[in-house]
Amino acid sequence: MKFTWTRQTGEPPALKRFLNGRGISHRMYKEVKVAGHFWINGQLSTGTPTLWDGDQVTIELPDEVSDPNVAVSDQPIKVIYEDDNWLIVDKPAGLTVVPGPANRADTLVNRVKGHLIKAHAKNVVPHVITRLDRFTSGLVLIAKHRLANSLANELLAAKQLHKRYLAVVSGTGLLAHGRIQKPIAKDPDGFGQVIAESGRAADTEYWVKRTLVDRTLVEVALHTGRTHQIRVHFAAIGHPLLGDELYHGPMDRGISRQALHAAKLDFNDPFSKTHLSFQSDLPGDMTAILD
């Protein structure tokens, strides 16, 4: 896979540093030197040239071949968007994202691998950027190659990849707009997470979208990315998500999984330099408990 950039005034003259500023990590640089190619102004380069203003730099990344330890699944995925760099999938509740001891054959990663193989893609290693819990539904961003993965992680670190969730929480009386800032740590006595002063800082912002008799629909933005953050934070303020057994949410309100959906995703695409924005409607089980 080839990528081309032009050196601008003020950018590093050293090839490695110039490429690092374009998302090429030290590891990727070494991989290109071993199994790929560099071109400067159309001429194959094997040394460490000094770049000048206006120089055109092209790299060819080696293909990411199939890992035989990752099974291929032919089960369908719901594709919201796809180009050479990105795949946006609307994940159903109940589908695990990555293979693990309990399921190595039919996770989202296995299905995406099958999708890429059917499309005769040269890179068949899915890089999951926005992972969701098994029983959380909604949008998942997948990078289709190592450079997209690197640039997506830079967007995440700079808080420039924006996600919004919809959740149905128990009870009413929430502020129209609020922020939950409580540190989260792994529960030493269980499988989940807990609020603990010794934990890592966690920051959740929400907006009330709809209030019913005994439940509230909220839109949520995460300013940190802790495990189970939305679920833990709303439980901590006395409003656990409907169907969330792990965090003591009501289990008799018409839904048997945590009522949480990744509804919106947007970011500035570093490849096309355009703004990409996606939305996923609430699935049927969450719509039903709002009727």
Side-chain angles (χ1 to χ4, degrees):
M1 199 167 197
K2 291 183 179 180
F3 300 92
T4 300
W5 302 278
T6 301
R7 182 184 184 267
Q8 306 297 325
T9 302
E11 291 191 286
L15 177 62
K16 184 176 179 180
R17 287 190 61 205
F18 170 80
L19 291 173
N20 183 251
R22 305 290 177 153
I24 302 296
S25 66
H26 174 71
R27 179 179 177 180
M28 273 191 282
Y29 183 81
K30 289 178 65 176
E31 289 174 341
V32 175
K33 289 191 72 174
V34 172
H37 297 92
F38 299 104
W39 288 269
I40 311 297
N41 298 321
Q43 299 296 312
L44 191 65
S45 174
T46 57
T48 54
T50 297
L51 302 178
W52 303 92
D53 289 355
D55 276 354
Q56 190 176 75
V57 179
T58 299
I59 68 167
E60 182 177 30
L61 294 172
D63 296 337
E64 293 182 271
V65 298
S66 175
D67 180 348
N69 295 314
V70 178
V72 177
S73 172
D74 293 323
Q75 292 299 310
I77 56 175
K78 183 178 180 180
V79 176
I80 300 298
Y81 174 84
E82 185 172 14
D83 62 20
D84 290 340
N85 310 303
W86 311 112
L87 177 65
I88 314 291
V89 176
D90 199 344
K91 184 188 84 69
L95 179 64
T96 303
V97 172
V98 299
N103 183 355
R104 297 192 181 278
D106 186 30
T107 68
L108 181 61
V109 163
N110 302 118
R111 294 185 184 193
V112 170
K113 183 176 179 179
H115 170 81
L116 295 173
I117 289 174
K118 286 179 183 177
H120 305 290
K122 292 184 177 180
N123 293 288
V124 289
V125 178
H127 301 274
V128 178
I129 306 302
T130 57
R131 189 179 297 191
L132 298 178
D133 295 337
R134 177 183 174 187
F135 291 106
T136 298
S137 55
L139 300 175
V140 176
L141 171 63
I142 296 164
K144 293 175 66 176
H145 53 79
R146 52 170 67 84
L147 178 54
N149 180 51
S150 175
L151 292 171
N153 283 314
E154 289 183 3
L155 290 174
L156 281 171
K159 300 186 184 299
Q160 293 173 350
L161 199 159
H162 307 291
K163 300 172 289 181
R164 291 290 180 96
Y165 298 81
L166 290 173
V168 183
V169 304
S170 57
T172 61
L174 287 162
L175 297 173
H177 171 234
R179 205 148 177 171
I180 310 169
Q181 296 171 310
K182 296 178 182 291
I184 293 175
K186 182 173 177 56
D187 185 351
D189 301 316
F191 297 104
Q193 308 291 311
V194 294
I195 302 298
E197 290 303 319
S198 61
R200 302 174 70 188
D203 187 355
T204 301
E205 188 173 11
Y206 70 85
W207 297 261
V208 170
K209 307 301 290 183
R210 186 178 172 191
T211 301
L212 288 84
V213 174
D214 62 351
R215 64 198 69 183
T216 305
L217 174 67
V218 292
E219 183 173 338
V220 183
L222 296 179
H223 298 289
T224 52
R226 309 301 174 221
T227 300
H228 297 176
Q229 182 173 320
I230 294 172
R231 301 164 63 188
V232 175
H233 268 175
F234 278 98
I237 64 169
H239 295 275
L241 275 61
L242 268 61
D244 193 351
E245 185 175 11
L246 181 60
Y247 295 105
H248 310 293
M251 299 301 295
D252 58 350
R253 307 291 176 84
I255 191 168
S256 58
R257 55 99 176 185
Q258 65 258 17
L260 182 61
H261 181 70
K264 297 178 183 178
L265 172 69
D266 70 271
F267 60 97
N268 290 322
D269 183 3
F271 294 101
S272 67
K273 309 302 181 185
T274 60
H275 185 72
L276 299 179
S277 182
F278 308 97
Q279 187 164 332
S280 168
D281 293 334
L282 279 177
D285 59 349
M286 287 185 65
T287 301
I289 61 174
L290 292 171
D291 287 342

